[in-house]
Amino acid sequence: RSNEAPACFERACQTLESHIIHWGSVASPSEYAQWLQRCDILPVTGIQDFFGVSVVEGIYAGLYPLLPNRLAYPQHIPAKLQEHYLYQNSEDLERRLINLLANWQTTSVDPSLVEHVACYDWTRTIAEYDAEFEKLAKK
């Protein structure tokens, strides 16, 4: 079935059980937002993503992203910040994650990164959608 998680997720859940504070889906968007607010780092290893909604949500919530330099992820990071948040391969990800964890007390997310993805906030885009729908309705 397509909605079943790969076996490696089950093994990871068992292996890391004492370190996991939540596993699985949540009941509502507000609960999802609450979990995001409890997080600090957003390590992403995706090999297929057309836009990266969860990545944008995580960045907007202030998480520190570590993203592969491929797919849609670079478009979510301003060019001047890409060297800080995009990694090239698994070794680079590991090195960056270890460094980030070791220096967490002195690390912060650049505020311009959050502002960069704020353009997707519904309160900012709704007027554009309304205008487009009005144009379509007049045709």
Side-chain angles (χ1 to χ4, degrees):
R1 293 180 5 205
S2 63
N3 63 346
E4 289 184 16
C8 64
F9 281 88
E10 181 63 32
R11 288 191 306 275
C13 185
Q14 292 170 359
T15 302
L16 301 170
E17 183 177 16
S18 64
H19 301 286
I20 297 172
I21 58 172
H22 180 78
W23 186 273
S25 60
V26 294
S28 68
S30 63
E31 184 182 354
Y32 175 69
Q34 290 171 353
W35 279 110
L36 275 181
Q37 292 301 317
R38 294 183 67 188
C39 297
D40 296 309
I41 303 170
L42 177 64
V44 175
T45 59
I47 57 172
Q48 181 179 357
D49 206 338
F50 298 107
F51 176 76
V53 171
S54 61
V55 169
V56 169
E57 290 170 338
I59 293 170
Y60 196 47
L63 280 62
Y64 192 103
L66 289 174
L67 309 173
N69 190 11
R70 61 178 184 265
L71 306 172
Y73 306 123
Q75 76 186 25
H76 302 311
I77 308 294
K80 67 179 183 169
L81 299 176
Q82 289 185 356
E83 68 181 278
H84 300 290
Y85 301 108
L86 298 178
Y87 65 85
Q88 303 305 316
N89 53 45
S90 58
E91 292 81 18
D92 190 23
L93 170 62
E94 182 178 355
R95 180 186 57 76
R96 288 170 182 261
L97 188 54
I98 289 169
N99 185 52
L100 183 60
L101 292 171
N103 297 294
W104 185 248
Q105 298 304 321
T106 59
T107 303
S108 62
V109 174
D110 189 303
S112 67
L113 179 59
V114 176
E115 185 56 35
H116 183 75
V117 297
C119 67
Y120 302 118
D121 187 301
W122 188 244
T123 61
R124 295 185 183 197
T125 60
I126 193 166
E128 294 174 42
Y129 275 83
D130 285 347
E132 289 300 317
F133 288 135
E134 287 293 329
K135 284 184 207 174
L136 288 173
K138 291 178 182 177
K139 288 186 176 183

